Amino acid sequence: MIIPRKLEIGDTIGVVAPSDPIIGKNIGEIMRAREILEKDGFKVKFSENLFSNTCGYSATAKEKAEDINDMFQDKDVKMIWCAKGGENSNSTFEYLDYELIKKNPKIICGYSDITSLTNIITQKTGLITYSSTNFKTVATDETDYSLKQVLKRFVDGDLQLGE
């Protein structure tokens, strides 16, 4: 079992879109989420294909997998946060570099369709992955509760539920 290191204020968070495309109002939500996290002291790096919609329903499986692999390989990125859920993250599985992921463990999180991605990464590498709010939700939740819970876990290492 591989446990990724905690996140620190000032670290870079990489954002990927392994499921549905980031189009329409989602673009503004992603930009607002970045502003919120940068205000909290983090750097945010968008993957190359974050806003791609090559297939008309998302980026290609290879593009999405390359983004994930690139974020694991990038020494500056300390956490990978999936932009949103949807469908088709399983299309990336055959293109993921599991040895690269295993050699460069870091936090990766999201939920919904993202759960299949985090589960296969854990199965193939032993890396502990996380279910959490998706990146865009930082800007779309009615309250900042889920963001506070993410920071409580990944920065403080506190696993207590609730306030």
Side-chain angles (χ1 to χ4, degrees):
M1 202 176 315
I2 303 168
I3 300 173
R5 78 169 198 55
K6 291 193 310 188
L7 191 63
E8 297 177 13
I9 303 298
D11 280 348
T12 299
I13 297 169
V15 182
V16 297
S19 293
D20 282 357
I22 307 302
I23 55 175
K25 71 177 184 168
N26 292 155
I27 295 170
E29 294 164 347
I30 293 292
M31 300 309 250
R32 281 194 308 281
R34 178 173 68 181
E35 289 173 16
I36 292 165
L37 283 158
E38 287 176 344
K39 188 176 179 183
D40 282 346
F42 297 97
K43 298 175 191 124
V44 176
K45 179 178 184 175
F46 291 157
S47 64
E48 182 179 336
N49 297 293
L50 183 67
F51 301 106
S52 294
N53 192 15
T54 311
C55 297
Y57 57 85
S58 72
T60 68
K62 280 186 178 181
E63 288 171 333
K64 294 188 284 188
E66 286 170 5
D67 283 355
I68 295 164
N69 291 334
D70 289 348
M71 289 296 182
F72 272 103
Q73 188 166 21
D74 188 326
K75 298 297 182 196
D76 292 331
V77 172
K78 304 302 180 191
M79 173 181 170
I80 302 167
W81 204 337
C82 295
K84 64 182 277 192
E87 299 175 30
N88 287 331
S89 69
N90 62 333
S91 67
T92 65
F93 294 0
E94 67 183 288
Y95 303 111
L96 293 175
D97 185 340
Y98 297 105
E99 277 306 306
L100 171 76
I101 293 168
K102 189 174 187 175
K103 291 177 184 170
N104 297 280
K106 50 189 76 175
I107 295 167
I108 182 169
C109 63
Y111 77 98
S112 186
D113 181 54
I114 303 305
T115 305
S116 64
L117 174 68
T118 55
N119 283 346
I120 195 137
I121 288 173
T122 298
Q123 178 188 344
K124 298 274 190 182
T125 68
L127 175 64
I128 299 299
T129 59
Y130 301 90
S131 292
S132 78
T133 190
N134 287 318
F135 184 79
K136 82 173 191 87
T137 313
V138 168
T140 61
D141 272 353
E142 289 184 41
T143 69
D144 62 355
Y145 178 81
S146 53
L147 174 59
K148 285 181 180 176
Q149 292 300 306
V150 165
L151 298 178
K152 181 177 169 182
R153 306 246 175 326
F154 298 148
V155 175
D156 301 337
D158 184 347
L159 300 178
Q160 296 291 324
L161 294 177
E163 292 296 321

